[in-house]
Amino acid sequence: MNNTQVPFLDLIAPHVELEDELVESFRTALRCAQFIGGSALGNFEKNFAAYHDVAECVGAASGTDALLLALLAGGVKPGETVLTTSNTFIATAEAISQAGAMPEFIDIDEETCNLSPAKLRTYLESCSRDASGRSVSCRTGSPITAVLPVHLYGQMADMDAIEEIAAEFGLQVYEDACQAHGAEYFSRRLNRWRKAGSVGRAAAFSFYPGKNLGACGEGGAVTTQDAELAVRARMLRDHGQSRKYYHELVGFNGRLDAIQAGILDIKLKHLPEWTRLRCEAAARYDANFKNSPQVVTPVVPAWAKPVYHLYVVRVQERDEVQAKLGAAGIGTGIHYPVPIHLQNAYSSLGYCAGDLPVTERCVPELLSLPMFPQITEEQQNKVVEATVQATDAVLSRP
Ligand SMILES: Cc1ncc(COP(=O)(O)O)c(C=O)c1O
């Protein structure tokens, strides 16, 4: 028997709401048989770029491909080391590996779970330099050429501080904005708000169905201010060709198909409203958990405007709390159960438990509560009541 009272995510409601428009766009694609490239792709790329205050958007087959395209088009080379975080979806590290580089993990900030600029600086200061002045990783023995912060859960990393350190140590900055469509931060340096995807040399977004802007299938995009980088990304996603069958680069098939682009363009118009609803839902959770200190709600620095792809709390005995919530019909998620540095896939990097103490302290306590634009106040009240009960029960155990 399905006793779901509150799902973790409702992917049906937004599609039912837009069904006529979405079907119409599918019909248009069928009737002109323009499945790859064409005006649907071009229009979406233009509109997505405008939404993120960037000059260029290059549609991609997935967020993972977008990350790979960003790194390759930006010039990350085989044998280099790229710094990132470990409490993220594995695709962040996979893209670095697929570019032929090596990921190395910097510990996170305990409050935001994003890359810690302080840890980044300390680490880089501890590294030796090669003949051309580049920092050399003690772990991989190779030059550190880039840093790839992740705007985790839809909240931007401290990009002012990261950019400053990157400039000092000669690193390129890329953004994993796969969870951060429309997120912003206030740059104290520039005295203005900046959007995710507009800060680094290039950024990657995912349109996986459950994302804030999701396709009805797979999709992703690279954003950049650099027109030449965008030209390379466009070639690389299309077998490196500049025109049909003339291949300038060794690329791959990483294209966003036209049907998904058409669907995404329709949904993009609703993104500001969906984001507003997510923020309202987050504010209700924050207020309702205020008197329950055993549920640690997300910390949002004054300079950040998150878009709440996920609403992640910290609780003791997380797995038990999650089981109790499941029994009460509340869907939850864990993002992510095992940090990448301790995944078997990356055992060759030689990390051990204890290497990233803050990450390892946070990971077992993180619990993602139901979060989607259509969530109702009544559903949230149930989530809050069940979470408080579950955490009280766990804490009051002798
Ligand atoms: C932080 C992060 N990076 C990368 C990706 C990869 O995106 P995709 O699943 O579209 O390949 C995701 C998506 O889950 C993600 O959350």
Side-chain angles (χ1 to χ4, degrees):
M1 198 181 73
N2 181 359
N3 75 340
T4 303
Q5 297 220 30
V6 187
F8 176 60
L9 174 66
D10 182 357
L11 268 187
I12 296 173
H15 293 106
V16 169
E17 194 183 309
L18 302 178
E19 191 171 294
D20 289 346
E21 252 187 297
L22 296 176
V23 170
E24 190 49 42
S25 115
F26 183 43
R27 186 175 292 119
T28 307
L30 288 182
R31 291 190 179 173
C32 64
Q34 202 168 55
F35 299 120
I36 307 292
S39 60
L41 178 64
N43 290 341
F44 171 66
E45 289 181 336
K46 185 166 65 64
N47 294 332
F48 194 75
Y51 190 69
H52 286 89
D53 300 338
V54 284
E56 302 280 349
C57 165
V58 181
S62 66
T64 310
D65 275 357
L67 279 166
L68 176 59
L69 287 167
L71 297 175
L72 291 176
V76 167
K77 304 253 171 354
E80 295 178 351
T81 292
V82 177
L83 304 178
T84 188
T85 48
S86 177
N87 180 36
T88 172
F89 184 53
I90 194 153
T92 314
E94 280 174 333
I96 297 169
S97 304
Q98 284 164 9
M102 280 163 284
E104 183 163 17
F105 305 105
I106 300 296
D107 215 346
I108 54 176
D109 172 76
E110 175 117 32
E111 293 198 319
T112 63
C113 290
N114 274 327
L115 188 144
S116 159
K119 296 273 167 48
L120 178 65
R121 174 177 288 288
T122 306
Y123 176 66
L124 287 165
E125 281 172 354
S126 76
C127 292
S128 57
R129 304 285 183 112
D130 67 9
S132 35
R134 299 181 302 183
S135 303
V136 175
S137 158
C138 348
R139 181 171 294 276
T140 66
S142 78
I144 302 169
T145 56
V147 57
L148 172 58
V150 181
H151 304 319
L152 197 68
Y153 310 144
Q155 177 162 289
M156 288 184 72
D158 186 351
M159 296 308 289
D160 268 9
I162 291 169
E163 277 190 311
E164 187 188 313
I165 297 163
E168 206 176 310
F169 289 86
L171 312 186
Q172 294 185 344
V173 179
Y174 295 88
E175 298 170 76
D176 183 336
C178 284
Q179 304 186 357
H181 315 71
E184 292 180 71
Y185 89 99
F186 188 81
S187 167
R188 288 78 82 202
R189 186 169 60 81
L190 301 175
N191 198 30
R192 64 174 170 85
W193 290 93
R194 297 175 95 189
K195 287 247 175 89
S198 72
V199 179
R201 182 153 165 65
F205 289 86
S206 164
F207 305 129
Y208 185 75
K211 293 291 194 271
N212 290 24
L213 179 65
C216 296
E218 302 280 359
V222 177
T223 56
T224 181
Q225 307 285 20
D226 181 335
E228 284 175 20
L229 189 154
V231 168
R232 281 194 297 280
R234 275 179 215 287
M235 278 200 267
L236 287 165
R237 75 169 173 188
D238 197 18
H239 299 290
Q241 56 192 1
S242 52
R243 60 194 164 104
K244 206 166 172 75
Y245 303 136
Y246 290 81
H247 306 272
E248 309 297 331
L249 303 167
V250 178
F252 56 100
N253 179 353
R255 300 178 296 240
L256 175 65
D257 77 63
I259 291 174
Q260 297 306 336
I263 286 168
L264 287 163
D265 211 23
I266 291 168
K267 290 174 127 190
L268 180 60
K269 297 190 194 86
H270 300 266
L271 186 58
E273 175 63 3
W274 290 338
T275 301
R276 190 183 66 77
L277 292 170
R278 282 177 186 272
C279 292
E280 273 181 22
R284 279 199 296 271
Y285 273 143
D286 287 348
N288 292 345
F289 282 124
K290 216 178 174 105
N291 298 320
S292 307
Q294 76 274 25
V295 181
V296 180
T297 54
V299 174
V300 181
W303 47 260
K305 265 195 217 163
V307 292
Y308 294 100
H309 170 55
L310 296 168
Y311 186 89
V312 181
V313 295
R314 275 181 79 169
V315 293
Q316 301 296 310
E317 307 295 340
R318 187 266 321 273
D319 292 346
E320 214 179 317
V321 171
Q322 185 184 38
K324 284 184 190 302
L325 287 173
I330 310 290
T332 55
I334 293 178
H335 300 91
Y336 296 89
V338 181
I340 302 176
H341 71 288
L342 300 179
Q343 293 278 1
N344 291 339
Y346 278 108
S347 58
S348 62
L349 294 177
Y351 281 95
C352 303
D355 281 344
L356 297 175
V358 181
T359 301
E360 291 169 38
R361 195 158 59 236
C362 293
V363 159
E365 298 182 358
L366 297 168
L367 182 65
S368 307
L369 298 182
M371 169 54 80
F372 47 94
Q374 295 78 12
I375 194 166
T376 63
E377 213 169 322
E378 195 190 338
Q379 286 177 313
Q380 286 193 274
N381 290 342
K382 283 185 186 159
V383 175
V384 171
E385 196 185 328
T387 308
V388 171
Q389 260 176 27
T391 47
D392 276 349
V394 164
L395 284 183
S396 62
R397 221 181 21 217

